[in-house]
């Protein structure tokens, strides 16, 4: 979230001009965020974003998904700072609980998508294909396809699923995953080559 340049507010001044410990600092900043103080939010983000990203990365592995999840966490902080209860735990514990739940929710969402793909099989929508993807017959049994998808890296799986199953073009996949089009093309091509090998497509 972008914040305008502004003089230090009371919340920011309280954590930068006094020797309070980190827990007290974050608590004061959360109070400011609850009042809509953007400078307090910017300082809170500066102090905690590395920890949030680290938590997301440990759960999700994929750096791009971890970045997206980190942004979702801080959006939730901005919207729900007033719900923080100091008697229930430290600000950092509250934040890391939110981070872990968000990351786990993203994993569950991905798993639900995989389950749907296993039930309904490969889509036959007309999308951009290169010569390798044309060799992967959409009529192959869904069970075999899902099994072989497990041999791909996380980023390859995500890209192939969006393109081959979701019917998205390379550009649409790139926009969805916030990556460059050449990067997405490379992921999909490499992923489909591995699929072809696993499925025994000659």
């Amino acid at each position: 979230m972008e914040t305008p340049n502004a003089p230090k507010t009371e919340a920011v001044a309280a954590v930068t001009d006094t020797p309070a410990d980190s827990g007290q600092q974050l608590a004061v900043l959360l109070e400011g965020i609850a009042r809509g103080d953007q400078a307090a939010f910017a300082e809170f983000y500066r102090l905690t974003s590395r920890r949030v990203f680290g938590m997301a990365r440990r759960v999700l592995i994929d750096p791009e998904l971890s970045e997206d999840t980190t942004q979702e966490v801080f959006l939730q902080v901005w919207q729900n700072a007033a719900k923080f209860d100091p008697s229930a735990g430290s600000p950092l514990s509250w934040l890391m609980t939110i981070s872990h739940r968000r990351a786990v929710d993203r994993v569950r969402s991905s798993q639900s998508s995989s389950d749907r793909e296993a039930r309904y099989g490969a889509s036959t929508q007309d999308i951009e294909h290169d010569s390798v993807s044309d060799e992967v017959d959409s009529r192959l049994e869904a069970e075999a396809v899902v099994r072989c998808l497990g041999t791909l890296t996380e980023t390859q799986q995500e890209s192939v699923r969006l393109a081959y199953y979701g019917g998205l073009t390379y550009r649409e996949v790139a926009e969805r995953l916030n990556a460059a089009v050449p990067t997405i093309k490379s992921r999909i091509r490499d992923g489909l080559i591995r699929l072809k090998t696993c499925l025994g497509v000659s």
Side-chain angles (χ1 to χ4, degrees):
M1 178 179 297
E2 295 183 0
T3 55
N5 293 324
K8 286 191 296 186
T9 62
E10 293 180 5
V12 175
V15 301
T16 56
D17 297 337
T18 62
D21 65 31
S22 60
Q24 291 174 327
Q25 290 180 1
L26 297 180
V28 171
L29 289 172
L30 281 172
E31 291 175 2
I33 295 169
R35 297 192 300 269
D37 187 335
Q38 292 185 336
F41 176 79
E43 181 68 5
F44 187 88
Y45 181 93
R46 185 186 70 80
L47 292 171
T48 60
S49 58
R50 283 178 178 268
R51 286 177 178 257
V52 172
F53 178 79
M55 167 67 78
R57 184 70 185 273
R58 284 194 295 273
V59 175
L60 295 168
I61 308 301
D62 185 280
E64 293 174 3
L65 289 178
S66 300
E67 289 175 2
D68 290 343
T69 300
T70 298
Q71 295 306 312
E72 291 172 1
V73 168
F74 282 100
L75 177 60
Q76 186 171 343
V77 169
W78 175 255
Q79 295 172 336
N80 297 294
K83 295 182 180 179
F84 168 66
D85 180 5
S87 67
S90 70
L92 190 58
S93 294
W94 178 74
L95 177 65
M96 299 313 289
T97 297
I98 293 175
S99 304
H100 185 262
R101 287 176 179 169
R102 280 281 180 179
V104 170
D105 285 346
R106 182 63 71 97
V107 170
R108 287 173 177 165
S109 176
S110 298
Q111 183 60 51
S112 294
S113 177
S114 297
D115 291 344
R116 286 194 297 272
E117 289 158 7
R119 287 196 300 271
Y120 298 113
S123 168
T124 57
Q125 295 185 40
D126 184 20
I127 60 175
E128 289 183 13
H129 286 296
D130 57 22
S131 59
V132 175
S133 66
D134 287 336
E135 292 176 342
V136 182
D137 193 336
S138 63
R139 292 171 296 180
L140 287 170
E141 293 182 3
E143 183 177 344
V145 174
V146 171
R147 174 177 55 80
C148 288
L149 275 171
T151 67
L152 274 57
T153 66
E154 297 260 348
T155 54
Q156 287 173 342
Q157 286 183 39
E158 187 80 12
S159 300
V160 169
R161 281 173 176 152
L162 288 173
Y164 195 69
Y165 291 143
L168 303 184
T169 65
Y170 288 132
R171 184 170 299 281
E172 289 169 337
V173 174
E175 291 174 352
R176 181 76 64 87
L177 300 181
N178 193 28
V181 172
T183 299
I184 293 301
K185 285 184 177 181
S186 177
R187 286 182 189 173
I188 292 174
R189 182 175 297 108
D190 293 344
L192 290 173
I193 289 173
R194 293 179 69 170
L195 274 178
K196 183 181 82 167
T197 300
C198 179
L199 292 168
V201 178
S202 57

